[in-house]
Amino acid sequence: MSAPRTDKVFAGSVPALYESHLVPLIFDSYAADLARRVALRSVSRVLEIAAGTGVVTRKLAAVLPASVAIVATDLNQPMLDQAAEVGTPRPVEWRQADAMQLPFEDGVFDAVICQFGAMFFPEKSSAFSEARRVLKAGGAFIFNVWDRIEENDFAHTITKSLESMFPKDPPRFLARTPHGYHDLAAIERDLQRGGFSAASIVNTIAARSQAASPRAPAVAYCEGTPLRNEIEARDMSRLGEATDIAERAISRQFGLGPVDGKIQAHIITIER
């Protein structure tokens, strides 16, 4: 499935909803996992790419010594603005940057971190080549990607529910992009094409996605991600209806009260 330009657009009210709804729903535990992996290494300068609203950045700032410099970048300035508004436990450098063309010299970082951003790169091997370029010898590229959508309950349920609303052209953002880059053999090939020659270490980790009500994941996915762009492109007036349909689908499968669903991701570590 080819990805339209809007798959990478996080603007308007999306950054705030992403931070308030999606971060606690699916990102927080995996962010803590990435930060722990970095903290186990000897680092003095760390780069985060596709930092979004800064959930990993905040974890890194909390666990790494104050002497470790943290540079957090994202393609979308509105996401960085939201991240800066939330703040971090100590100063970090926020910088708008395209992962395909990083504005840094060769070999200046001990680790490059990316949480659920690789799926959005239009040319994965080129982005991986850039990550490798800015790493010092022996430095690590640590990133995670979502497993297939069928292993991620709320995303799968919501995607299926919207087929009834737009049967001729259902919105497929979640399956196409966030959950569209889970083939480990393909990821390994892209890393090799990007210049990495070491063997990668892969950990597949299942976790739980929990919310106080079915409304929370419905709003998170339908209004706090580029799925919103797809829905509004079909009919600008029907975003609220789409969110209601998603909420009802979550309610039918997971109940009317607090909801609990599976999420699963792959964590990849490879050294330069």
Side-chain angles (χ1 to χ4, degrees):
M1 293 178 285
S2 60
R5 185 191 66 82
T6 54
D7 277 15
K8 297 187 292 181
V9 176
F10 292 76
S13 63
V14 168
L17 286 167
Y18 180 104
E19 173 62 32
S20 63
H21 285 68
L22 210 62
V23 165
L25 187 71
I26 61 173
F27 290 139
D28 196 68
S29 63
Y30 288 106
D33 173 80
L34 283 187
R36 285 193 296 268
R37 293 171 191 271
V38 178
L40 292 173
R41 307 183 68 89
S42 177
V43 295
S44 60
R45 195 164 189 233
V46 172
L47 171 67
E48 184 185 355
I49 54 179
T53 58
V55 58
V56 174
T57 322
R58 295 190 290 274
K59 303 290 187 186
L60 290 171
V63 302
L64 295 179
S67 59
V68 177
I70 301 170
V71 182
T73 68
D74 196 90
L75 179 65
N76 291 276
Q77 186 61 47
M79 295 291 272
L80 292 179
D81 293 342
Q82 179 67 40
E85 181 178 327
V86 175
T88 52
R90 63 176 178 85
V92 303
E93 179 183 348
W94 302 106
R95 187 163 177 180
Q96 193 277 333
D98 187 342
M100 309 294 294
Q101 293 180 307
L102 293 172
F104 306 106
E105 296 180 358
D106 297 355
V108 292
F109 293 99
D110 302 291
V112 175
I113 314 302
C114 183
Q115 165 137 298
F116 301 122
M119 307 88 74
F120 292 86
F121 301 154
E123 296 179 14
K124 275 67 170 177
S125 59
S126 296
F128 294 163
S129 177
E130 278 291 274
R132 182 183 181 277
R133 179 183 65 78
V134 301
L135 276 171
K136 297 177 182 177
F141 179 33
I142 308 173
F143 64 103
N144 53 20
V145 295
W146 291 116
D147 202 347
R148 64 196 189 103
I149 197 167
E150 291 82 3
E151 300 290 348
N152 291 267
D153 287 343
F154 295 153
H156 188 223
T157 299
I158 289 171
T159 296
K160 294 293 290 182
S161 74
L162 295 181
E163 292 175 0
S164 66
M165 185 174 181
F166 301 103
K168 294 183 179 180
D169 184 22
R172 296 288 294 168
F173 165 74
L174 295 175
R176 179 181 59 248
T177 300
H179 296 280
Y181 191 54
H182 53 78
D183 185 325
L184 293 175
I187 294 170
E188 192 69 27
R189 287 194 298 271
D190 287 338
L191 286 167
Q192 291 173 0
R193 290 170 182 157
F196 286 96
S197 57
S200 62
I201 298 171
V202 179
N203 301 107
T204 299
I205 298 178
R208 305 305 300 179
S209 180
Q210 298 173 323
S213 72
R215 186 70 181 176
V219 171
Y221 283 106
C222 291
E223 302 182 20
T225 77
L227 176 59
R228 177 182 190 142
N229 304 333
E230 274 201 302
I231 295 167
E232 292 185 330
R234 284 155 177 77
D235 190 329
M236 184 70 72
S237 69
R238 300 185 73 185
L239 178 62
E241 180 187 348
T243 305
D244 291 343
I245 288 172
E247 180 184 7
R248 289 195 294 271
I250 296 290
S251 298
R252 285 193 298 271
Q253 187 162 345
F254 300 96
L256 295 172
V259 292
D260 184 308
K262 177 187 176 183
I263 47 178
Q264 186 161 293
H266 302 303
I267 296 85
I268 298 101
T269 302
I270 192 164
E271 293 189 349
R272 187 188 190 284

